Amino acid sequence: MIRRIFIVYGLFLLLGSVASAGVTQLNYKATFGIFGTVGTIENTLTQKGKTYEIDSTVELAGLAKVLLSGQTERYVSKGHMEKGLMVSDFYQMITKKNDKVKSKEYHINHQEKYVTKRHRKWLKGKLIEDRTEKLEFYAKDDLLTLYFNLGTAVDKKGETRLFNAVGLEKQNGQVEITVPDDTEVAAYKKDLGEGASLYAKALIHQKNFRKKKGDILLGVGEDKFIYKSVIKDILFYGDAQLVRVK
């Protein structure tokens, strides 16, 4: 069970909104209740003209690294800009563990509004699985752009919006993001601290949470990037937190 719990760090690829051009480096440290630091996330955002690329690498630390045998994950999103928002054309998730490599590639056809997913596995360098399927839903976002666009896409107090994002097939790609009104902000500040330009939460469904669902609380700084996020009360192990360190 503890081994499965540590996979929750992958849900922390929730990294803020975009306001500037060029190359931006965003690094975060992940902690998990009684286990302390469980990993780091290094993110490089590159913007050139009307195109963007996000490259994120997740490295485990401490007990999580031991339990998951040094597993590493890399996430890549490439696409274009529309009305100040990033729109994903390609999204890839790569997991490496011992002699095993897994890759999931998503290609989004915006003209015909569909998404194809290619799933491959290698063992000791040999390709052992290669299959392609068409998803049952269409989305302009992936897991990275969903949160990089946060500060621009959702900013009205008291607003709840439903988004579709590839990479979340188990919940049909749907994510609810809510911005609290003035009467609700105090509860967010308790976990995220003062001074955020935007507070929000994303509702997810995942078997490692109590009641099989959980809210990711998000605090966006004045620079339009997330400085802290919190997942409350994961089973009996406490809160999971992601804090910006660079």
Side-chain angles (χ1 to χ4, degrees):
M1 176 63 71
I2 295 177
R3 181 184 182 88
R4 287 165 51 195
I5 292 299
F6 277 117
I7 299 175
V8 79
Y9 76 86
L11 296 169
F12 272 138
L13 291 166
L14 320 172
L15 305 171
S17 60
V18 179
S20 58
V23 178
T24 303
Q25 189 71 34
L26 293 170
N27 297 340
Y28 294 80
K29 178 176 72 173
T31 62
F32 183 15
I34 62 176
F35 301 104
T37 300
V38 295
T40 59
I41 303 175
E42 294 186 356
N43 311 275
T44 302
L45 165 65
T46 304
Q47 291 175 274
K48 184 177 181 181
K50 294 184 178 181
T51 64
Y52 79 88
E53 179 175 343
I54 308 168
D55 195 326
S56 297
T57 301
V58 179
E59 297 277 355
L60 293 176
L63 184 59
K65 185 175 183 179
V66 174
L67 292 177
L68 292 179
S69 303
Q71 177 174 306
T72 61
E73 296 190 4
R74 183 185 177 199
Y75 299 76
V76 178
S77 174
K78 299 179 181 180
H80 62 281
M81 304 297 295
E82 288 185 9
K83 299 179 180 180
L85 297 175
M86 289 183 290
V87 176
S88 179
D89 298 322
F90 170 85
Y91 180 60
Q92 184 176 26
M93 306 186 304
I94 304 169
T95 302
K96 296 181 179 180
K97 181 179 178 182
N98 297 326
D99 295 327
K100 299 178 181 178
V101 178
K102 298 180 181 179
S103 172
K104 296 179 182 179
E105 290 183 8
Y106 300 82
H107 296 267
I108 304 175
N109 186 321
H110 297 291
Q111 184 173 359
E112 299 184 27
K113 299 187 184 303
Y114 70 86
V115 182
T116 56
K117 175 184 176 181
R118 185 181 185 186
H119 188 186
R120 289 179 289 174
K121 293 182 181 180
W122 293 265
L123 179 61
K124 297 182 178 180
K126 181 180 179 180
L127 182 65
I128 60 173
E129 182 178 346
D130 189 350
R131 55 186 171 86
T132 301
E133 62 181 303
K134 186 176 180 180
L135 298 188
E136 296 181 356
F137 64 90
Y138 162 73
K140 286 189 172 184
D141 282 305
D142 56 48
L143 276 176
L144 291 177
T145 62
L146 177 68
Y147 296 102
F148 270 92
N149 286 331
L150 179 65
T152 303
V154 181
D155 58 6
K156 186 178 179 180
K157 293 182 179 180
E159 179 182 32
T160 296
R161 290 187 57 187
L162 183 65
F163 292 85
N164 288 335
V166 299
L168 290 172
E169 287 82 278
K170 290 185 179 180
Q171 56 193 66
N172 202 34
Q174 295 184 337
V175 180
E176 287 183 9
I177 295 183
T178 300
V179 176
D181 60 29
D182 291 335
T183 64
E184 300 170 315
V185 168
Y188 287 72
K189 291 182 177 180
K190 182 178 179 181
D191 292 303
L192 298 171
E194 301 280 347
S197 62
L198 175 71
Y199 293 97
K201 69 178 178 182
L203 176 63
I204 59 173
H205 298 265
Q206 219 276 349
K207 62 185 177 182
N208 291 329
F209 294 99
R210 291 175 177 170
K211 300 180 182 178
K212 297 184 180 180
K213 66 180 181 179
D215 291 330
I216 300 179
L217 305 181
L218 307 165
V220 180
E222 294 295 337
D223 62 356
K224 296 296 183 179
F225 294 101
I226 286 180
Y227 68 85
K228 186 176 182 179
S229 64
V230 176
I231 303 177
K232 296 292 294 178
D233 299 324
I234 302 175
L235 292 180
F236 303 105
Y237 301 102
D239 299 346
Q241 298 188 19
L242 194 73
V243 179
R244 184 178 175 185
V245 295
K246 179 178 180 180

